[in-house]
Amino acid sequence: MKFFLILISLLYSLEAKSLFTNNEQKDRSKYIGALKNLVIATQKTRGLTNSFLNGNTVAQLLVYSNRQDMKAAIGDMETLQFSADPVINKRATFISQELISLNSKALKKNSSKVFDEYTELIAQTMMLAQSVAKRGVDKLNPIGRELTSIMMETMLPLTEYVGQLRGLGSGIAAKGSISKGEKDKLVAILLQMKPLSEKFESQMSHVVSKYNKEFGNESIESDVAKTMTLIKEYMSYSKTNFIESKQEVDPDNYFDSGTQIITSIVKIYDVNNKVIESDSQGWF
């Protein structure tokens, strides 16, 4: 009887875990972690630079700190085996070189122009993320493929729209006025954020239900619900105070509120990546 219990336990473990370690998925997990760090640090650098150039001098030291985080993330990406992929390497190298160039002159340029230049480079990073989701996808386990796609094609773009709203709004708040061009940009960002945030909620609900055992005791469903509430509140506040009326907004508080949302998304992103990494571990 004891033998059969041990056998059942072993079979259950084998069902939950592959026999051999999926090194491709394991390395991919590390790369998408470093890529996320680059995106977040670049978004912060953009927003803080915009706030500083519009009169918030307190933001300058934080600009330099986040530039260092960008450098560290790029260094981490370059050390990983996945970076040897020719398409990944070409795009990552271009982004790295352009970011270094922009950082060197950003504080001396027009705020609107600098904001757009950082946004364009983040867009290039999103294209890199799409390549990460698609290159060698056949080498990943099913859950690795599904979660990587959600993280690269929904979650990172969602942090970007929140980051754009945060960066643009904090600059407007620091300046104390809003131009027609800035108002049009805010409207466009809000229109993109709503369906993407709803897609994020739907995809996470599906994947957690499908792979409930793999997520274990993680409070993922409540974290997603909390994140959605924060997003809706931030969008409503931005629309009311910047677009519908001209209210006085504290730039630092507004920036911090956006950061809270991105931190909440990143928390879920990191749980997903933890599941991917754990799924890659085999018995041998």
Side-chain angles (χ1 to χ4, degrees):
M1 183 68 179
K2 185 177 180 181
F3 169 78
F4 285 110
L5 290 174
I6 294 173
L7 181 61
I8 291 170
S9 176
L10 178 60
L11 289 172
Y12 177 84
S13 298
L14 286 171
E15 179 189 0
K17 198 171 187 180
S18 299
L19 189 59
F20 296 101
T21 295
N22 187 332
N23 289 315
E24 293 280 350
Q25 182 166 303
K26 188 176 181 180
D27 190 68
R28 187 83 56 101
S29 172
K30 292 178 181 178
Y31 194 89
I32 62 180
L35 181 60
K36 174 261 297 179
N37 291 338
L38 175 61
V39 169
I40 300 305
T42 308
Q43 290 168 342
K44 283 186 176 180
T45 300
R46 173 187 57 193
L48 290 164
T49 300
N50 191 52
S51 187
F52 169 75
L53 291 174
N54 279 288
N56 184 15
T57 56
V58 177
Q60 186 172 14
L61 287 177
L62 294 173
V63 169
Y64 293 122
S65 174
N66 281 282
R67 285 182 182 178
Q68 289 301 312
D69 291 342
M70 292 165 64
K71 183 178 179 181
I74 290 170
D76 290 340
M77 289 163 62
E78 290 174 345
T79 65
L80 297 169
Q81 183 63 36
F82 187 61
S83 66
D85 180 290
V87 172
I88 300 300
N89 181 267
K90 182 178 179 180
R91 290 185 175 176
T93 299
F94 170 80
I95 292 165
S96 172
Q97 292 172 343
E98 291 297 308
L99 284 173
I100 291 170
S101 175
L102 180 55
N103 283 344
S104 69
K105 54 193 177 185
L107 297 182
K108 301 174 184 178
K109 302 181 75 171
N110 172 270
S111 62
S112 179
K113 182 174 177 57
V114 170
F115 188 91
D116 288 345
E117 289 179 356
Y118 273 118
T119 299
E120 172 57 29
L121 286 176
I122 295 173
Q124 293 289 331
T125 311
M126 292 301 158
M127 290 177 63
L128 171 62
Q130 290 183 12
S131 296
V132 171
K134 292 177 171 59
R135 299 289 291 182
V137 68
D138 57 311
K139 297 176 182 178
L140 304 181
N141 299 337
I143 191 171
R145 289 195 294 271
E146 196 160 350
L147 287 178
T148 298
S149 176
I150 294 171
M151 294 159 71
M152 296 291 97
E153 301 183 67
T154 301
M155 296 183 74
L156 279 186
L158 182 57
T159 69
E160 170 55 3
Y161 283 120
V162 177
Q164 286 185 29
L165 191 60
R166 175 187 64 180
L168 190 59
S170 60
I172 293 166
K175 184 173 57 175
S177 62
I178 183 170
S179 67
K180 184 182 183 305
E182 289 170 331
K183 187 174 289 189
D184 289 343
K185 283 183 180 179
L186 284 177
V187 170
I189 292 168
L190 291 172
L191 286 174
Q192 294 289 338
M193 275 182 67
K194 187 176 186 297
L196 190 59
S197 62
E198 291 171 350
K199 181 180 180 182
F200 157 69
E201 182 179 33
S202 174
Q203 286 180 325
M204 285 308 304
S205 175
H206 170 76
V207 80
V208 171
S209 175
K210 184 176 180 180
Y211 298 107
N212 185 263
K213 183 171 60 178
E214 284 78 3
F215 279 94
N217 297 322
E218 298 287 351
S219 58
I220 199 81
E221 291 172 310
S222 62
D223 288 340
V224 170
K226 175 187 173 184
T227 302
M228 289 300 296
T229 297
L230 291 173
I231 289 172
K232 290 173 184 176
E233 290 175 348
Y234 200 55
M235 291 175 63
S236 177
Y237 181 87
S238 302
K239 182 180 178 182
T240 299
N241 291 278
F242 293 135
I243 298 172
E244 295 178 346
S245 62
K246 296 179 181 179
Q247 301 293 327
E248 184 174 336
V249 176
D250 181 275
D252 294 325
N253 288 341
Y254 183 82
F255 191 92
D256 290 344
S257 294
T259 299
Q260 183 183 6
I261 298 172
I262 293 175
T263 300
S264 188
I265 297 171
V266 166
K267 179 182 177 183
I268 298 165
Y269 184 106
D270 288 343
V271 169
N272 287 351
N273 206 14
K274 180 181 174 182
V275 171
I276 292 173
E277 198 280 331
S278 178
D279 180 70
S280 72
Q281 301 293 334
W283 291 100
F284 301 100

